[in-house]
Amino acid sequence: MTETALGNKLPITAIILTFNEEKNIEECLNSIYDFVGEIYVVDSFSTDNTLSLLKKYPSVKVVQNAFENYSIQRNWAFDNLEIENDFILNLDADHRVMPELLDELKGYFDKGISENINGFMASRRTMFLGKWIKRGGHFPVYHGIIFRKGFGQCELKKYDQHFLIEGESIVLKGNVIDIITESLTVFTERHNKWSTLEAQDYIDYQSNHGAGRVQALKDGNEMEKRRYQRMKYYSYPPFLRVFLYFFHRFVLKGGFREGVPGLIFHFLQGFWFRFLVDAKIWELKNAKEE
């Protein structure tokens, strides 16, 4: 038996996480509202106008749940929401699904999804200060955005989580736009927090050998290959790897060709953030030895 499209909408349930996303939620919803069969917003008790804006979308189902971390919130949604469709689309409020991706999905569902296919992967288009960052090895970067209900979960990481998908996945040509910051102040504040989580994740990974996470496989799927590259990065000496990584991204992969926005992005995300992660790993290891 195969999974096919029903009517004009895709037999997909979208789950969007929000907390104070008044600047993003409408564009996110507008990109999928007329195309998917069901939409849930899992809100972490927003205090801005997010909930008021959601009232413009009568078919959107809003539930609230206290936020502990991204993985726990995602997996709580999978376990507790009454999801009508067999396939689940996972989005953040700062994502916008491109029309080409939706058309591509419609083509697959019109033909029928075979039972051995349990997921779809797509690349994100990172938008930074109004510019698409497509050099420096930052595009394409594939994520498992859709999986069959019961065949996926969010990996147990504190930062940069991906979805574990059991079985085969289709790699889509269409993209998801990712608006990663509204200002440099927000960008640096978030990455300071995320550097702490990444450092803790690295220490945890060494202790549990990656249990409950996307595996680092050189010949695996696109996500597993990406995780292999990340762990290979961590095999190089601390701090030195930061300089090598930035040189690789900015010079060898052409990040310098993206003008001032590219310089700011690749330096902050590819050098400053990575240096901060190594510094916090050093700090955590030294605290344990005391």
Side-chain angles (χ1 to χ4, degrees):
M1 185 176 179
T2 59
E3 190 73 23
T4 57
L6 299 173
N8 295 324
K9 292 194 175 185
L10 293 165
I12 291 174
T13 293
I15 300 177
I16 306 168
L17 303 189
T18 59
F19 175 69
N20 289 350
E21 292 287 357
E22 63 182 7
K23 295 181 180 179
N24 286 310
I25 190 58
E26 288 187 279
E27 285 192 46
C28 178
L29 286 171
N30 290 342
S31 74
I32 61 169
Y33 190 73
D34 293 327
F35 302 96
V36 301
E38 182 179 43
I39 301 175
Y40 273 102
V41 170
V42 180
D43 182 71
S44 304
F45 298 96
S46 291
T47 56
D48 65 354
N49 290 321
T50 298
L51 296 176
S52 297
L53 292 172
L54 288 172
K55 294 178 182 178
K56 297 181 180 179
Y57 303 86
S59 65
V60 172
K61 302 173 182 179
V62 181
V63 297
Q64 291 187 299
N65 188 60
F67 188 89
E68 293 183 56
N69 66 44
Y70 186 90
S71 298
I72 291 174
Q73 191 78 330
R74 279 288 177 194
N75 291 327
W76 177 90
F78 305 147
D79 292 337
N80 291 277
L81 299 181
E82 295 182 1
I83 297 169
E84 294 178 356
N85 298 298
D86 283 342
F87 281 88
I88 300 169
L89 167 64
N90 296 283
L91 296 173
D92 296 336
D94 53 8
H95 293 165
R96 291 93 175 88
V97 179
M98 298 189 71
E100 295 85 353
L101 187 149
L102 293 166
D103 288 341
E104 194 176 357
L105 283 171
K106 188 177 186 304
Y108 278 112
F109 278 95
D110 282 346
K111 290 186 294 184
I113 308 300
S114 62
E115 292 183 350
N116 65 307
I117 298 299
N118 288 332
F120 293 87
M121 287 187 282
S123 181
R124 292 181 187 171
R125 288 193 184 191
T126 297
M127 300 298 297
F128 179 80
L129 301 181
K131 181 177 180 61
W132 174 19
I133 304 297
K134 55 185 173 181
R135 297 185 176 89
H138 211 70
F139 179 87
V141 177
Y142 291 94
H143 298 258
I145 62 168
I146 297 173
F147 58 76
R148 194 186 294 270
K149 184 168 56 177
F151 290 87
Q153 63 177 324
C154 189
E155 64 176 332
L156 303 176
K157 283 179 87 253
K158 296 180 176 69
Y159 168 71
D160 193 26
Q161 303 88 348
H162 289 257
F163 293 98
L164 295 164
I165 301 174
E166 299 175 27
E168 297 182 40
S169 294
I170 293 172
V171 178
L172 299 169
K173 296 176 183 178
N175 305 148
V176 174
I177 295 172
D178 186 4
I179 313 293
I180 63 170
T181 189
E182 59 193 65
S183 70
L184 289 175
T185 298
V186 172
F187 183 88
T188 52
E189 286 174 350
R190 287 177 176 174
H191 278 72
N192 181 39
K193 178 181 70 176
W194 292 339
S195 66
T196 300
L197 299 179
E198 174 77 355
Q200 292 170 345
D201 269 335
Y202 175 76
I203 299 296
D204 292 343
Y205 185 90
Q206 290 186 313
S207 301
N208 61 26
H209 306 291
R213 301 186 182 193
V214 171
Q215 296 301 297
L217 299 176
K218 185 178 181 180
D219 298 317
N221 63 35
E222 296 298 332
M223 290 189 297
E224 291 166 341
K225 290 177 183 176
R226 185 77 177 182
R227 185 58 51 84
Y228 173 82
Q229 293 171 350
R230 173 63 58 84
M231 299 319 298
K232 186 176 180 181
Y233 163 83
Y234 276 119
S235 71
Y236 291 102
F239 299 110
L240 172 62
R241 60 194 175 207
V242 178
F243 290 88
L244 296 174
Y245 180 58
F246 177 70
F247 180 79
H248 176 79
R249 274 179 58 163
F250 194 67
V251 179
L252 299 183
K253 287 291 187 177
F256 68 91
R257 298 174 61 189
E258 297 184 299
V260 173
L263 171 63
I264 296 170
F265 176 78
H266 290 296
F267 181 81
L268 289 179
Q269 205 268 346
F271 184 85
W272 170 77
F273 172 66
R274 286 288 147 202
F275 191 93
L276 199 54
V277 170
D278 272 6
K280 291 184 179 182
I281 290 172
W282 178 88
E283 182 181 43
L284 287 170
K285 287 184 173 180
N286 277 270
K288 285 187 176 182
E289 294 173 0
E290 291 178 359

